[in-house]
Amino acid sequence: MIPAGPHEDLAFLGLAEASRQLAEGRVSAVALTEAMLARIEALDGTLNAYLAVEADAALAAARESDARRASGRARGPLDGIPIAVKDAIWRAGRPMTVGAKRPVVERAPENATVVARLEAAGAIILGATNLHEFAYGVTSVNPHHGPVRNPWATDRNPGGSSGGSGAAVAAGLAYGALGTDTGGSIRIPASVCGIVGLKPTYGRVSRHGVFPLAWSLDHVGPMTRRVEDAALMLEVIAGADPADPTASRRPVPAYASRLARSVNPPLAGLRVGVPRGFFFDRAEPEVAGIVRAAIDRLAALGAAVREVSLPKHEASVPAALLVLLAEAAAVHARRLAEAPGDYGEDVRARLEQGRLVPASDYIAAQRARAVVRRELAEVLRVVDCIAMPTTPTAAGPLSEGATGPADAARRAMTHFTRPFNLTGFPALSMPCGFTAEGLPVGLQLVGRPFEEGTLLAAAAPLEAALGLTARRPTA
């Protein structure tokens, strides 16, 4: 564990609570920002969660936020809230490394749409977070910028590829963060760092200004300490975008307001499916037991829990991998040919493997995608969401090996998350318990397309019932 840092009580308020205290005049945006910057200064030398911290710009934005609020012009719940951005997302005028040896973009021409929307809502951008090189891996052990360390055990990895965002939020170095998710890169760090991570429906959030890994699998979403925090962030970043033709024009619901249901019991009427086989059989027994206990709590809160069958989903893992390998190789074809030595061993090996994927295999994977999506949609006609482990294990050890048993273990971390990138259905990971070693375990909830509100509304009462939000990695 990391040692206790400064401003603990302020840092662990949670985004929504910090927002309420701003609105009530009990704290200022400058105070929140100074607290985050002080903790980054004290703790990030160990965690290595940030690649760039823009302290002066953040404090200037905080002063502007306080001035707006003083004159009655606050822009909403995120005004004055310090947020971190994964360094695979444009920030106007700033370099973007995507975790690579040298910047991929020396000076971003504009903000990515998600960053522009955060700033328009008054959020304060603290800087750019570390990640697995080119967002292509699940450990955030970066050969060029050093490994990100898990706040709960610094000899463990924080998951990836959004490991810096996950570690920053978990350790109280940001109230929320943006992550990207191509095979689990929001949900895996959320699970092993003990926070909330939401991969929205494909098309719910614009990807304009986000470096691609695999076009048909990439998603952008919020990473926060609490469910309400994720709802508030999603409301701001979601929506249509003329700069991204894949972004949906569907209206954006008021996700946070739906969390305050007056039903008793709180999950009455919610139908939860628990898949037989694959998702539990491949989890470590301790992890599976913790997740099943959380599902029992869903039932105790009024949810109707039943077993469901997803026989095609085991086949979706290799199908999703084929799509990822082929599309990532296409993204990197020119760069890999011109400068192969710029890549770390593990990423270069996967890109070279992707160059060998036959077109016939890619087409077969797309056919499998349609079958899996149809099966999932059929199951979600009889239940409102599906519950399962996010990852088969808790956080693994820091390791740089690109082949062998360690690599196989890392690839297994995506087995429960990849299927929902392939289908594009929304998926949320939330903390549901801790192992005997004190490492977080995540519960994954999957829902119908564009029904992120159902997942958030299911997760919020469970979060309250489990009572884990007060637990801190510095304790």
Side-chain angles (χ1 to χ4, degrees):
M1 290 187 183
I2 57 173
H7 302 284
E8 288 227 2
D9 291 339
L10 200 58
F12 286 97
L13 285 175
L15 185 156
E17 179 56 29
S19 177
R20 283 188 280 270
Q21 293 203 16
L22 282 168
E24 294 165 4
R26 291 192 283 152
V27 72
S28 68
V30 167
L32 295 179
T33 304
E34 287 177 340
M36 293 295 101
L37 293 173
R39 289 182 64 79
I40 292 167
E41 177 69 22
L43 302 175
D44 202 47
T46 298
L47 295 177
N48 197 30
Y50 281 88
L51 291 179
V53 178
E54 286 121 26
D56 291 344
L59 287 168
R63 288 190 288 270
E64 291 173 4
S65 175
D66 285 336
R68 282 194 300 272
R69 198 172 290 279
S71 60
R73 295 181 293 112
R75 296 174 178 175
L78 264 58
D79 201 339
I81 300 294
I83 301 289
V85 176
K86 183 178 181 178
D87 198 21
I89 302 172
W90 285 354
R91 293 166 300 122
R94 309 281 185 184
M96 180 184 71
T97 71
V98 202
K101 184 176 183 178
R102 58 188 97 246
V104 173
V105 175
E106 293 285 353
R107 186 180 176 87
E110 60 183 335
N111 280 327
T113 299
V114 284
V115 174
R117 287 177 176 169
L118 286 172
E119 289 195 339
I124 295 160
I125 306 302
L126 291 166
T129 54
N130 201 351
L131 65 156
H132 205 107
E133 182 187 14
F134 283 111
Y136 204 0
V138 298
T139 66
S140 299
V141 174
N142 189 301
H144 313 299
H145 304 285
V148 184
R149 295 180 181 272
N150 194 309
W152 294 93
T154 55
D155 62 343
R156 304 295 181 110
N157 73 67
S161 62
S162 308
S165 290
V169 172
L173 310 186
Y175 289 98
L178 289 175
T180 65
D181 191 314
T182 305
S185 288
I186 287 173
R187 290 160 290 156
I188 293 169
S191 178
V192 303
C193 288
I195 64 170
V196 176
L198 175 60
K199 181 199 78 65
T201 308
Y202 187 83
R204 177 75 287 182
V205 176
S206 170
R207 297 174 299 168
H208 173 67
V210 179
F211 190 86
L213 176 56
W215 299 285
S216 71
L217 302 172
D218 291 344
H219 301 68
V220 182
M223 302 175 73
T224 61
R225 276 193 294 281
R226 296 171 189 169
V227 173
E228 184 183 8
D229 304 348
L232 290 171
M233 280 189 68
L234 185 61
E235 285 183 26
V236 168
I237 64 174
D241 179 12
D244 179 1
T246 69
S248 173
R249 296 181 180 179
R250 288 175 181 244
V252 178
Y255 297 110
S257 65
R258 184 177 171 184
L259 303 185
R261 299 177 71 203
S262 58
V263 179
N264 188 22
L267 293 182
L270 181 74
R271 301 169 301 170
V272 178
V274 180
R276 304 183 191 97
F278 175 71
F279 291 99
F280 285 90
D281 291 350
R282 296 202 177 194
E284 286 187 350
E286 185 179 21
V287 168
I290 291 168
V291 171
R292 286 197 181 278
I295 293 170
D296 289 344
R297 294 298 288 270
L298 287 171
L301 291 166
V305 177
R306 56 174 288 185
E307 281 197 340
V308 296
S309 179
L310 293 169
K312 302 291 193 304
H313 265 66
E314 188 162 358
S316 72
V317 174
L321 179 59
L322 279 169
V323 173
L324 171 60
L325 287 168
E327 293 185 0
V331 169
H332 287 268
R334 180 174 176 179
R335 184 176 286 106
L336 184 63
E338 292 176 349
D342 280 0
Y343 290 86
E345 178 187 359
D346 64 326
V347 171
R348 184 173 64 249
R350 283 193 285 274
L351 291 172
E352 289 173 348
Q353 183 183 1
R355 294 166 65 181
L356 303 177
V357 174
S360 57
D361 285 0
Y362 181 76
I363 291 169
Q366 297 292 0
R367 289 174 175 161
R369 172 184 242 161
V371 171
V372 173
R373 185 183 287 135
R374 184 164 57 248
E375 177 186 80
L376 186 57
E378 288 171 357
V379 169
L380 285 166
R381 276 195 278 271
V382 296
V383 295
D384 301 305
C385 63
I386 303 171
M388 66 200 74
T390 307
T391 58
T393 69
L398 291 172
S399 171
E400 293 185 1
T403 59
D407 185 54
R410 284 196 296 273
R411 284 187 281 109
M413 290 296 276
T414 63
H415 281 176
F416 302 163
T417 53
R418 270 193 209 282
F420 310 110
N421 293 87
L422 190 70
T423 63
F425 285 31
L428 176 148
S429 180
M430 63 174 291
C432 68
F434 289 82
T435 67
E437 291 184 273
L439 298 173
V441 173
L443 168 73
Q444 182 173 213
L445 298 173
V446 177
R448 304 182 193 99
F450 300 99
E451 292 192 14
E452 290 83 2
T454 298
L455 304 183
L456 293 161
L462 178 60
E463 177 183 70
L466 292 173
L468 302 175
T469 56
R471 193 160 172 174
R472 304 174 184 176
T474 52

